[in-house]
Amino acid sequence: MAKVYNWQIKRDMNYPYKGKYPERQFASVFNINRCIACQTCTMACKSTWTFSKGQELMWWNNVETKPYGGYPHFWDIKLLKLLQTAHDSQEKSMTWNGEDEYNGMTIFEAAEKQKTKNGQSRVLGYLPEDKEWTKPNIGEDAPPQTTLKKDKMGFVSEPIRLPEHKSFFFYLQRLCNHCSYPACLAACPRKAIYKREEDGVVLIDQERCRGYRKCVEACPYKKAMYNGQTKISEKCIACYPRLEGKDKHITPDGVSVETRCMSSCVGKIRLQGLVKMSQDGLWSKDEENPLYWLVHKEKVALPLYPQFGTEPNIFYIPPRWAPRSYLTQMFGPGVEEAIDLYTAPSRELMAILQLFRAQREVIYRYQIKKGPKIYEKEVTLSDGSKKGLKIYNDTIIGYNEEGKECVRTTVEEPMYERPATHFNSI
Ligand code: SF4
Ligand code: SF4
């Protein structure tokens, strides 16, 4: 195994190949706090890419309800258990130290110690059974049992209070993370999986693949899928024709546009970009890029299960109301800080949040023009303390790949009053 640096676990780790990094990396931030589980993203993806024979149960994009939902069933719990067993057998623990460095083993390191049943030795994983892929919405809207006081009629008699609810659920939006150290790629004995140099998109070469399903077994997020009809594996392709600006109907100028799932998001929870990478595997400093600002400067968006070690490139603003211990297991250290930053957003964060789904072209740079103060209030932080929040009606401008303005919006949505005539017209 080679040594590579994984910035999400803040240490070198073992990976079957030497690190090789693209010029730009496909990345995205999802604001969990705003998702309404309408599944518009899911259907936009399905109707574009997975509507053929053999793809009936294939959802490259899915939105599941946590803690009980999962597609395939219990994918994260199953992998966490495998990882725990590997740690137990080595008398190690899956902990993070004070500097946010992960002390435990990743799925690559655990595989060196703990072979799975069928002898897979490069990545710790498991192959879900067919039935586990059949119900993408299992557990939808189901909160865990709660010890809240109830009245004689069985209704909750205690008010639910922030900072976190005793009973909770939230929606987790999932697609391939186009990881920097893809487990699917590491496990493929045919070398059929590759990461594109121009945008870091991870693809399966359909001609080389022989359907051994090693990628399905290895991907910790279970985002490589097997097509029983064609007998080869498939996965999200990050709508690369759109990233390349090749769809003349939507990009006559040939600039990059967001994927189908991103650009159809009704809840305006998604912001997708192509971030600059440097050859040491880190994101190049680019504070005018909204994704760089959210992930590396403000640190309000966190990766999903960073301890798995694949360095995923989809980042999440964690939900305010869910228990912090559950969220820390899912997003690693930094959850409380991220939630507090979102709860009392800085002036810049408030403006950048307006860019989410404001238009279709990929935003490479933003600029803020200051406006007047419009609102002031006190909010409750994770530790129960209070903080003052001031909101300004700033204007944010986004620029596309060619440096042209592609969006201009304000923090406060303008209100239009309908004229008395044509009252019901649309
Ligand atoms: S999420 Fe899974 S399928 Fe996608 S790049 Fe990472 S390991 Fe591969
Ligand atoms: S379209 Fe947006 S709001 Fe609707 S389920 Fe998908 S991510 Fe959530």
Side-chain angles (χ1 to χ4, degrees):
M1 290 239 187
K3 282 262 180 250
V4 292
Y5 182 71
N6 181 328
W7 64 264
Q8 296 178 358
I9 58 172
K10 290 208 170 55
R11 67 169 173 83
D12 287 333
M13 65 165 204
N14 294 345
Y15 184 68
Y17 297 107
K18 276 194 204 154
K20 195 159 182 285
Y21 308 100
E23 269 170 47
R24 286 201 175 258
Q25 173 63 53
F26 167 89
S28 190
V29 169
F30 294 172
N31 182 0
I32 292 180
N33 295 273
R34 295 194 60 154
C35 179
I36 52 173
C38 61
Q39 307 286 2
T40 312
C41 50
T42 309
M43 294 316 295
C45 176
K46 181 124 200 101
S47 60
T48 310
W49 301 114
T50 61
F51 54 80
S52 302
K53 253 189 162 183
Q55 296 179 312
E56 293 82 356
L57 300 172
M58 213 180 259
W59 303 90
W60 289 355
N61 178 100
N62 76 293
V63 177
E64 58 201 41
T65 305
K66 287 298 179 204
Y68 294 139
Y71 169 76
H73 302 177
F74 314 122
W75 61 273
D76 51 348
I77 302 301
K78 287 191 168 181
L79 191 61
L80 284 169
K81 274 194 182 154
L82 273 179
L83 208 48
Q84 186 63 59
T85 309
H87 280 80
D88 291 348
S89 69
Q90 299 297 310
E91 294 180 4
K92 290 189 173 177
S93 63
M94 286 195 276
T95 48
W96 298 78
N97 73 17
E99 306 298 305
D100 294 348
E101 182 186 317
Y102 177 55
N103 292 327
M105 296 184 286
T106 66
I107 54 173
F108 306 108
E109 293 160 345
E112 290 180 294
K113 312 274 181 198
Q114 183 99 1
K115 290 207 170 177
T116 44
K117 269 189 208 146
N118 60 2
Q120 163 67 262
S121 59
R122 286 187 151 190
V123 187
L124 186 77
Y126 76 98
L127 196 58
E129 290 178 39
D130 287 353
K131 64 178 183 206
E132 292 171 43
W133 298 96
T134 52
K135 298 182 184 69
N137 270 358
I138 199 162
E140 188 170 45
D141 289 3
Q145 287 283 330
T146 164
T147 51
L148 288 176
K149 274 193 195 150
K150 307 235 170 94
D151 64 17
K152 276 192 229 155
M153 303 290 287
F155 294 114
V156 174
S157 57
E158 270 183 348
I160 290 175
R161 290 205 174 90
L162 284 171
E164 65 187 48
H165 293 181
K166 285 181 183 159
S167 180
F168 75 99
F169 64 79
F170 62 87
Y171 305 121
L172 188 68
Q173 314 71 29
R174 302 208 310 110
L175 60 136
C176 169
N177 290 284
H178 297 278
C179 306
S180 294
Y181 303 114
C184 55
L185 183 154
C188 178
R190 290 275 305 161
K191 291 200 169 64
I193 304 185
Y194 61 104
K195 191 165 171 67
R196 302 208 313 177
E197 281 175 14
E198 59 271 44
D199 51 22
V201 168
V202 175
L203 296 177
I204 302 177
D205 182 334
Q206 300 287 284
E207 309 231 307
R208 282 198 67 77
C209 176
R210 290 286 180 275
Y212 300 150
R213 284 187 268 186
K214 290 292 177 192
C215 54
V216 184
E217 181 187 343
C219 171
Y221 305 98
K222 296 292 166 245
K223 281 296 171 188
M225 295 162 196
Y226 179 69
N227 185 326
Q229 195 75 26
T230 59
K231 308 223 178 310
I232 50 178
S233 300
E234 297 173 9
K235 62 180 286 304
C236 156
I237 60 168
C239 294
Y240 69 78
R242 292 169 70 99
L243 295 186
E244 292 170 358
K246 294 240 169 88
D247 188 333
K248 293 282 176 243
H249 293 295
I250 49 172
T251 47
D253 298 349
V255 293
S256 305
V257 289
E258 294 190 329
T259 64
R260 288 277 289 141
C261 60
M262 311 282 175
S263 64
S264 65
C265 176
V266 176
K268 298 175 94 173
I269 81 140
R270 297 173 176 228
L271 183 70
Q272 184 222 305
L274 289 159
V275 295
K276 258 194 246 164
M277 293 282 291
S278 53
Q279 281 315 301
D280 53 8
L282 300 175
W283 290 19
S284 304
K285 195 169 177 207
D286 185 9
E287 288 184 11
E288 291 184 327
N289 180 299
L291 287 190
Y292 182 94
W293 195 90
L294 292 164
V295 174
H296 280 285
K297 182 134 192 279
E298 191 79 336
K299 298 187 173 59
V300 67
L302 306 169
L304 181 62
Y305 291 115
Q307 64 270 44
F308 292 167
T310 64
E311 212 183 270
N313 287 302
I314 306 279
F315 301 86
Y316 296 83
I317 302 179
R320 289 175 61 190
W321 58 89
R324 305 310 189 239
S325 55
Y326 182 77
L327 294 176
T328 302
Q329 173 178 271
M330 188 170 267
F331 301 109
V335 161
E336 276 200 8
E337 292 81 352
I339 291 177
D340 287 349
L341 286 164
Y342 180 73
T343 305
S346 63
R347 202 163 168 173
E348 200 152 9
L349 175 56
M350 190 54 116
I352 290 175
L353 288 171
Q354 312 313 314
L355 290 179
F356 283 58
R357 281 302 323 110
Q359 51 71 60
R360 284 191 300 199
E361 291 177 13
V362 170
I363 298 169
Y364 282 67
R365 183 170 70 83
Y366 74 89
Q367 191 191 2
I368 295 173
K369 287 206 159 56
K370 293 196 167 164
K373 188 167 82 182
I374 47 170
Y375 187 68
E376 201 167 347
K377 134 177 236 277
E378 221 177 40
V379 292
T380 310
L381 301 182
S382 293
D383 63 0
S385 65
K386 307 276 181 194
K387 190 177 172 191
L389 163 69
K390 289 184 186 140
I391 297 180
Y392 297 83
N393 193 20
D394 294 338
T395 299
I396 183 154
I397 307 154
Y399 299 90
N400 70 14
E401 196 179 356
E402 288 178 353
K404 280 195 199 151
E405 178 177 325
C406 58
V407 60
R408 178 180 287 253
T409 184
T410 51
V411 166
E412 188 174 47
E413 275 190 39
M415 180 135 71
Y416 299 102
E417 212 171 300
R418 275 188 185 177
T421 51
H422 312 298
F423 183 61
N424 274 332
S425 66
I426 47 169

